[in-house]
Amino acid sequence: MTQTAHGVEFSQQLSETPKSAEERAAVLANPGFGDYFTDHTAVVDYKVDVAGEGGWQNARIEPYGPISLDPSAAVLHYGQEIFEGLKAYRHADGSVWTFRPEANAARLNKSARRLALPELPEEYFIGAIRELVQADQEWVPSGDGEALYLRPFMIATEAFLGVRAAREVSFRVIASPAGNYFGGELKPVSIWISREFARAGRGGTGAAKCGGNYAASLIAQQEAEANGCKQVLFLDHFNDDAVEELGGMNVFFVMKDGSLVTPALSGTILEGVTRMSVIQVAKDMGREVSERKITLVEWRDGVSSGEITEVFACGTAAVITPIGVLKDATEFIGSEDATAGETTMAIREQLLGIQTGKVEDTHGWLTRLV
């Protein structure tokens, strides 16, 4: 069977052994985050022909399962890999929508250029998401704060050990029902300051969404968890300890005058889709938003003086999460008894309201999938 989405034909080979309604219901009762996966995956192949021309081909939906790779596949040796993250939300009328997929498609291609991977036309990106969600629409949860998390990714599959850009690549999308990222009631989280490790360097891959950035952050994340913190904060140690981002989230500060400040994109910070959406939502509320350098000293002094009234982190997985305490072995900024701030919650409710269809989408950010 072949279907057409966004002008791209996707063949369908549906699973002969999908999860039963009872198995699916058990998963959706407590989905967690990234623990379970739907019955299918979307795949598009890329190959360079003998004339040196590359092209995307064989767009398809197939059963979810292991990927067969040659041991010499480039992704296994040189880390030529990128990915994205977005969500599909079930609205009150049963329809399913996703949020700003065009922005994710554009960022995927920005990452592709940095990692010497082929750019993927937007119609393939959105088509793959639409086809997968339509095939697995019964996996989209409807509980408060729940969604179907979508993970598009691109890997170099060519069997070749020479150091050059791969000539064979696979783009795929998998899906996982997701609950609250940090679990349970929304409470301010504790953040650990990474003094020894950096997430990315100047001229590196910090502005790309690639696995190597996250692999480099894991040792610092382990240190954070060992000290009772949910996330780790990375600083630019060669730039007055300027605040960069968390292991997987951007940071915002709410100032006493009601304005917001977030670290300026410097090439070492990932431009989050949620980040750019928060900026627009805050401006819609009449708040001034500044993208500039903000240092650890300003964070410390601002909280102490009351100039900084709230701090929150944002990203696709958790949407918006208030930050209560920032600490390391000698530093302690904030309060463990902090509650989520009014501005943080107002922006969160507005953004979630748009995503879930409870608030009017005046920017055209939503794309219907089912």
Side-chain angles (χ1 to χ4, degrees), residues 15-280:
S15 173
E16 296 179 357
T17 57
K19 294 288 192 300
S20 68
E22 291 76 16
E23 290 174 309
R24 192 171 56 248
V27 169
L28 294 180
N30 185 24
F33 188 89
D35 296 322
Y36 305 97
F37 299 91
T38 66
D39 296 307
H40 299 93
T41 181
V43 187
V44 191
D45 299 322
Y46 177 91
K47 190 171 184 178
V48 176
D49 61 22
V50 292
E53 297 294 325
W56 292 97
Q57 57 192 345
N58 195 18
R60 63 197 184 273
I61 299 296
E62 63 184 31
Y64 180 94
I67 299 172
S68 178
L69 285 175
D70 192 283
S72 65
V75 66
L76 302 177
H77 301 272
Y78 307 121
Q80 212 181 352
E81 175 272 351
I82 56 175
F83 67 98
E84 276 297 320
L86 63 166
K87 288 179 175 178
Y89 297 87
R90 189 175 297 282
H91 288 191
D93 63 358
S95 61
V96 179
W97 302 71
T98 192
F99 182 74
R100 305 192 73 175
E102 300 86 357
N104 290 97
R107 188 173 64 179
L108 181 87
N109 282 335
K110 181 179 179 181
S111 298
R113 290 190 293 272
R114 182 62 184 86
L115 273 291
L117 286 162
E119 294 187 42
L120 180 78
E122 181 183 291
E123 58 265 28
Y124 279 97
F125 184 93
I126 297 179
I129 289 168
R130 174 171 279 127
E131 291 295 306
L132 178 59
V133 173
Q134 287 182 354
D136 287 339
Q137 57 186 280
E138 293 179 332
W139 282 93
V140 183
S142 56
D144 185 39
E146 296 179 343
L148 185 68
Y149 183 80
L150 304 169
R151 170 51 60 84
F153 62 101
M154 189 186 297
I155 58 174
T157 56
E158 183 183 6
F160 177 71
L161 290 181
V163 183
R164 60 158 169 76
R167 294 170 183 165
E168 293 179 14
V169 170
S170 179
F171 170 75
R172 294 171 177 261
V173 185
I174 57 176
S176 174
N180 188 304
Y181 186 72
F182 289 117
E185 181 184 350
L186 184 69
K187 296 179 180 179
V189 296
S190 298
I191 306 296
W192 183 257
I193 306 168
S194 178
R195 298 287 190 180
E196 183 177 355
F197 303 106
R199 176 186 168 276
R202 302 278 172 164
T205 59
K209 195 169 179 68
C210 61
N213 292 344
Y214 293 79
S217 76
L218 294 180
I219 188 170
Q221 179 65 31
Q222 287 179 328
E223 185 179 29
E225 292 171 357
N227 286 277
C229 294
K230 292 285 189 180
Q231 270 279 359
V232 60
L233 172 73
F234 290 102
L235 305 170
D236 185 343
H237 300 300
F238 301 98
N239 187 24
D240 303 322
D241 279 345
V243 174
E244 296 227 299
E245 62 175 274
L246 306 188
M249 305 175 76
N250 295 117
V251 184
F252 278 83
F253 301 85
V254 181
M255 314 305 284
K256 183 172 62 177
D257 63 2
S259 65
L260 272 66
V261 174
T262 191
L265 300 175
S266 60
T268 58
I269 296 174
L270 183 68
E271 184 178 7
V273 175
T274 307
R275 175 188 182 275
M276 67 173 74
S277 304
V278 166
I279 290 172
Q280 185 60 58

Side-chain angles (χ1 to χ4, degrees), residues 185-190 309 322-327 332-341:
E185 181 184 350
L186 184 69
K187 296 179 180 179
V189 296
S190 298
T309 60
I323 294 174
V325 172
L326 178 67
K327 65 179 181 178
F332 195 96
I333 301 171
S335 170
E336 291 182 328
D337 299 322
T339 57

